[in-house]
Amino acid sequence: MDKDQALEEMMGKLGDFGRYQCFQFILHILAAMTAGIHMLSLVTVAAVPEHRCALDGVDSWNFTEPWNSSLVRNAIPINEHGRMDSCNYYGVNRSLNECQSWVYDTKYYTSSRGIEWNLVCNKRWMGAAAQTAYMFGVVVGSVVLGRLCDKLGRKTVFLWSGVLQLAFGVAVAFTTEFYTFVAIRFLYGIFGSGSYIAGFVLTMELVGPKRRTICGVTFQIMFAIGIMLLAGWGYLLDDRFYLQILYALHAAILLPHWIVMDESPRWLWAQGRARESVAIVEKALKMNKSNQTLDTPSLVSQCKVTCAKYTDEHSAGTADLFKTPNMLKKTLIICGCWFANSVVYYGLSLNTGKLNGNPYFIMFLMGVVELPSYVIIMYYLDRVGHRALISTMMLLGGISCLVVVALPHGSTATTGVVMVGKLFISGSYSIIYKYSAELFPTVVRSSGVGLGSMCASVSGALTPLISLLDTLNPKIPTLIFGFLALLSGFSTFLLPETIGRNLPQSVEDGEKFGVGDTCFTNCGGKRLSNDSLNLPETMVPLDAEKKQ
């Protein structure tokens, strides 16, 4: 028995999902909830409510003229949507002048960074820059922390990310200068999703193959719950300082993990720390009340044996994803899917303030509507297949965006269709993680998923900037979101189905995997051939990112 076989046999004794895996999994998914809160915190903390020019001689520091008064309506132009122009007012002889100060509708918000710094009109870019800085922090975090996960351990990255997201989350509340605020938001972004990354890897390396789909989708559910908490706390606490502090304090629930959470036995094994790995599995067997036993001396000796099962495991890296035609095609399409899913998901989430109605309730619904899509995924994914489900959901999400463009701006129907679009795009986003992992061969699997995740982070960073295009026409951002979703949805027709297939291990297997299997040749997703793919799937630690 070689090193890999010994590991799989040892981990197999745990079963797919016993008490121990359940306990550790609950610890891991708490990081997804905090990530959801941190990621979208500016939606409430930096909200920009309805606003208009402050009129000299009409408004003062302690009095605001009612918006429907004749004085206000005669002094401010009406735009094409029947609303007051928020950036201009009539001066002498009805000349159009730019606002120098503003008054805000305080029905829903009385305190926010948007109000404090007047992030409106020619300063709108500042609000977008703050969110973009966070998302670029996520880009850096996905690369740097992903590698540190392999070098220092999943638990170490998980715990230090929790500590630092708490520290930077509190620090950003105390910042009074904009550019310092942006810099801290960038650092906040690096660690805001760090525990999520490490926690997801820990779960995938601990639970059995039959439970990886449902556990992966549960991470998405907890992210949605984080969005719902974001809205709930925003509704209850209308003070941007204390609200940001409260958001940051959610990271404190990750601190007890220092004591109760274990390192990945697979990572320890890959590092040659066999005794620690075996000790954790023995602890897990006791907690699972299993009668299985481990031969520790034999396992330790087998771990020390150099495994030469896959000779390219230590040389393959990100570059191998682009060297051959089939791998190149799959890599470009899957990266496009990551990009499109992320830009549409965050585009719809970040623009909730532009929908009519209570913004907190709308944000809460944005989280709620994700839940049915995850139920659909868990039920149909292994029945219908990845390709059919992800393409259908992306196409429906794209169509929803285009329907929104055709509806009256700010109508109730618009809000309803946006919710439907969020439902579909959330579903496709949850599939992309597992689908990517199954498309790429074992030796470059983490490199492929890491590259896709980076594309998603980059598009998330660009989303606030795309949203600024609504100054040209309010429909432009939504049109872009819709066309990107449709383009990526159609491109997935060219990808192979992975359900029921043995996954590729080597780079050569990856090139042969799925050749000729497209929706146009095999829409049912049935196996075309058994050739060259009759290799067992093994769950190797995600250490290929070291080669990126």
Side-chain angles (χ1 to χ4, degrees):
M1 185 186 301
D2 65 24
K3 183 179 177 181
D4 285 350
Q5 289 174 327
L7 173 63
E8 293 305 319
E9 183 177 295
M10 179 177 72
M11 296 300 295
K13 293 184 178 183
L14 287 177
D16 284 313
F17 198 76
R19 292 184 180 181
Y20 174 80
Q21 290 103 315
C22 180
F23 176 67
Q24 293 292 316
F25 173 61
I26 291 172
L27 298 178
H28 301 160
I29 61 173
L30 291 175
M33 181 194 71
T34 62
I37 293 173
H38 299 316
M39 188 82 72
L40 298 175
S41 60
L42 280 191
V43 173
T44 54
V45 172
V48 178
E50 195 77 19
H51 52 281
R52 63 167 175 82
C53 294
L55 303 174
D56 292 337
V58 177
D59 302 304
S60 63
W61 68 272
N62 62 350
F63 174 77
T64 299
E65 183 73 15
W67 287 39
N68 60 354
S69 74
S70 58
L71 286 175
V72 171
R73 290 193 169 275
N74 290 332
I76 296 178
I78 302 299
N79 63 25
E80 65 271 22
H81 301 296
R83 295 185 176 183
M84 292 183 185
D85 192 318
S86 58
C87 300
N88 300 285
Y89 69 98
Y90 290 127
V92 179
N93 298 323
R94 304 289 286 181
S95 61
L96 207 58
N97 299 329
E98 292 185 356
C99 301
Q100 301 303 313
S101 59
W102 292 262
V103 295
Y104 295 90
D105 184 350
T106 56
K107 181 178 181 180
Y108 298 115
Y109 302 101
T110 60
S111 170
S112 79
R113 292 287 191 179
I115 296 174
E116 181 180 327
W117 287 335
N118 288 320
L119 303 181
V120 298
C121 300
N122 60 356
K123 288 186 178 180
R124 279 190 66 204
W125 67 269
M126 296 171 70
Q131 182 63 24
T132 295
Y134 184 95
M135 296 305 296
F136 272 122
V138 175
V139 174
V140 174
S142 65
V143 177
V144 175
L145 298 181
R147 294 186 179 184
L148 289 178
C149 270
D150 291 330
K151 185 176 181 180
L152 304 178
R154 287 76 163 107
K155 180 179 178 180
T156 301
V157 171
F158 185 103
L159 297 173
W160 278 109
S161 292
V163 171
L164 292 171
Q165 66 184 240
L166 173 61
F168 287 120
V170 171
V172 79
F174 284 91
T175 307
T176 56
E177 196 272 325
F178 175 74
Y179 293 102
T180 305
F181 175 78
V182 171
I184 296 177
R185 285 279 303 174
F186 173 75
L187 297 174
Y188 189 20
I190 293 176
F191 300 102
S193 295
S195 296
Y196 181 104
I197 295 169
F200 187 85
V201 173
L202 277 163
T203 292
M204 292 299 105
E205 293 185 344
L206 186 62
V207 303
K210 294 180 180 179
R211 291 291 180 268
R212 285 178 193 147
T213 296
I214 190 171
C215 288
V217 173
T218 305
F219 266 83
Q220 301 296 111
I221 291 174
M222 289 301 292
F223 190 92
I225 289 175
I227 296 175
M228 288 185 267
L229 282 173
L230 176 88
W233 287 125
Y235 176 77
L236 294 173
L237 187 59
D238 187 20
D239 185 293
R240 68 91 184 158
F241 176 81
Y242 293 111
L243 185 59
Q244 177 59 52
I245 295 289
L246 181 59
Y247 289 157
L249 287 177
H250 283 76
I253 65 175
L254 306 179
L255 302 187
H257 290 43
W258 285 95
I259 302 170
V260 294
M261 194 176 83
D262 293 326
E263 181 56 89
S264 166
R266 292 180 181 275
W267 181 82
L268 291 169
W269 184 272
Q271 301 302 306
R273 295 161 61 177
R275 291 190 182 277
E276 296 172 68
S277 178
V278 174
I280 290 174
V281 175
E282 287 179 331
K283 170 186 171 182
L285 289 171
K286 289 180 181 178
M287 191 168 178
N288 287 350
K289 297 184 178 181
S290 172
N291 295 324
Q292 298 278 0
T293 58
L294 299 177
D295 185 352
T296 302
S298 175
L299 287 168
V300 171
S301 64
Q302 287 169 342
C303 182
K304 294 179 181 178
V305 176
T306 301
C307 176
K309 186 174 184 179
Y310 304 114
T311 56
D312 60 347
E313 180 175 350
H314 302 289
S315 60
T318 305
D320 291 277
L321 298 171
F322 301 92
K323 287 182 178 179
T324 53
N326 191 33
M327 287 284 286
L328 174 63
K329 180 189 76 172
K330 290 187 289 188
T331 301
L332 293 178
I333 292 174
I334 211 67
C335 285
C337 288
W338 278 93
F339 187 96
N341 273 279
S342 177
V343 78
V344 178
Y345 181 90
Y346 290 112
L348 295 178
S349 299
L350 293 172
N351 287 297
T352 54
K354 298 177 182 178
L355 300 175
N356 273 357
N358 186 317
Y360 300 111
F361 181 65
I362 291 174
M363 173 59 69
F364 183 82
L365 285 182
M366 281 285 190
V368 171
V369 297
E370 293 189 28
L371 303 183
S373 70
Y374 299 142
V375 173
I376 293 170
I377 296 304
M378 286 189 283
Y379 183 78
Y380 285 107
L381 187 60
D382 293 332
R383 292 173 172 82
V384 176
H386 294 77
R387 181 177 62 200
L389 209 51
I390 194 172
S391 60
T392 299
M393 288 199 152
M394 289 189 72
L395 291 173
L396 291 175
I399 291 170
S400 298
C401 289
L402 298 184
V403 170
V404 167
V405 172
L407 293 174
H409 183 74
S411 66
T412 303
T414 299
T415 302
V417 176
V418 166
M419 295 298 171
V420 172
K422 182 72 182 300
L423 183 150
F424 288 122
I425 211 66
S426 299
S428 62
Y429 208 169
S430 68
I431 301 170
I432 198 72
Y433 284 89
K434 188 169 184 284
Y435 193 27
S436 299
E438 293 177 347
L439 278 175
F440 296 116
T442 298
V443 294
V444 288
R445 185 162 292 145
S446 60
S447 296
V449 174
L451 180 64
S453 180
M454 187 187 303
C455 290
S457 299
V458 170
S459 70
L462 295 177
T463 301
L465 305 180
I466 294 174
S467 296
L468 291 179
L469 295 175
D470 66 355
T471 54
L472 302 176
N473 188 309
K475 297 180 179 181
I476 289 179
T478 311
L479 275 172
I480 293 174
F481 300 152
F483 280 120
L484 284 174
L486 289 176
L487 179 62
S488 294
F490 281 119
S491 71
T492 57
F493 290 167
L494 301 176
L495 293 175
E497 182 53 72
T498 58
I499 289 293
R501 289 159 169 76
N502 294 320
L503 303 187
Q505 298 284 7
S506 66
V507 173
E508 290 77 11
D509 292 332
E511 175 61 16
K512 296 175 184 177
F513 184 75
V515 172
D517 181 6
T518 70
C519 189
F520 304 104
T521 61
N522 184 34
C523 204
K526 296 179 180 179
R527 183 191 296 273
L528 292 179
S529 172
N530 292 319
D531 297 341
S532 76
L533 296 178
N534 197 23
L535 292 169
E537 176 188 5
T538 58
M539 188 68 183
V540 299
L542 302 180
D543 55 2
E545 285 187 1
K546 295 178 182 177
K547 316 300 186 303
Q548 292 186 29

